[in-house]
Amino acid sequence: MNGGEPRRAWFCVRSQPRHEQIAAGHLGKMAGVEVFNPRVRFTRTGRAGRAVVTESMFPNYLFARFDWQDSLIRVHYAPGVSGVVHFGSKWPTVPDSVIAGLRAVLGQSGIQELSGELLAGELVELAGGPFAGLEVVVKQVMPGRQRVLVLMDFLGRQTTVEVAAARVIRHGARR
């Protein structure tokens, strides 16, 4: 930041791996520091079945508004924080309009609910069993039976197979 800029501004803060909530909690308790940690909630399918999870929208990052001159060191060394994003001697700020836009989309909770519904035609991956890791296309969803029909290429032919919905992983649902 330069001398003519406002003293309080939004900065991008890097958390320690998977410690966004811890960093947000500690920063939120600091006087003069405002925290915004946008998150997403979705259903993830893994080996143990389906579970609703809430994760940071920007893994390992959150936003904090503070007076750069007075609070940089406190924020930088807060528990759960890896550092404040900077490029050499430049400490870029995040425009208020960007934070306001994210808050407008996410609402009061700061959490975006993502649909866990599988859709016909969706490309997914099978979890567990002899076909683990195989990419298939959802042909039909049978929610009452918690099953899906998938279309797979097997031995050079397209074959329809019925599998448990819990054995299907959406692309992007894994880290």
Side-chain angles (χ1 to χ4, degrees), residues 126 131 136-142 148-154 157-163:
L126 295 179
F131 297 110
V136 296
V137 176
V138 175
K139 187 171 178 183
Q140 180 183 351
V141 179
M142 300 175 285
V148 293
L149 286 179
V150 297
L151 187 60
M152 64 172 31
D153 284 322
F154 185 68
R157 296 179 54 208
Q158 287 195 335
T159 306
T160 302
V161 179
E162 186 176 317
V163 297

Side-chain angles (χ1 to χ4, degrees), residues 11-21 23-24 36-42 54-64 85 94 98-103 105-106 110-112 114 175:
F11 293 89
C12 185
V13 176
R14 182 169 175 81
S15 73
Q16 294 170 354
R18 307 202 48 76
H19 280 69
E20 300 92 354
Q21 281 298 104
F36 180 52
N37 181 21
R39 295 172 292 160
V40 293
R41 181 175 294 137
F42 57 94
T54 303
E55 293 184 350
S56 184
M57 183 177 280
F58 305 106
N60 301 325
Y61 292 95
L62 58 145
F63 303 101
V85 173
V94 178
V98 171
I99 301 299
L102 283 169
R103 284 186 164 157
V105 169
L106 300 177
I111 299 173
Q112 175 71 50
L114 301 179
R175 285 243 159 133

Side-chain angles (χ1 to χ4, degrees), residues 13-84:
V13 176
R14 182 169 175 81
S15 73
Q16 294 170 354
R18 307 202 48 76
H19 280 69
E20 300 92 354
Q21 281 298 104
I22 293 168
H26 286 283
L27 291 173
K29 293 176 184 174
M30 291 182 178
V33 177
E34 182 181 351
V35 179
F36 180 52
N37 181 21
R39 295 172 292 160
V40 293
R41 181 175 294 137
F42 57 94
T43 302
R44 174 179 283 161
T45 304
R47 292 182 184 194
R50 291 178 182 246
V52 176
V53 294
T54 303
E55 293 184 350
S56 184
M57 183 177 280
F58 305 106
N60 301 325
Y61 292 95
L62 58 145
F63 303 101
R65 184 175 189 197
F66 56 92
D67 181 320
W68 181 77
Q69 291 177 332
D70 294 341
S71 302
L72 179 64
I73 298 299
R74 287 187 308 131
V75 169
H76 184 82
Y77 291 104
V81 172
S82 179
V84 178

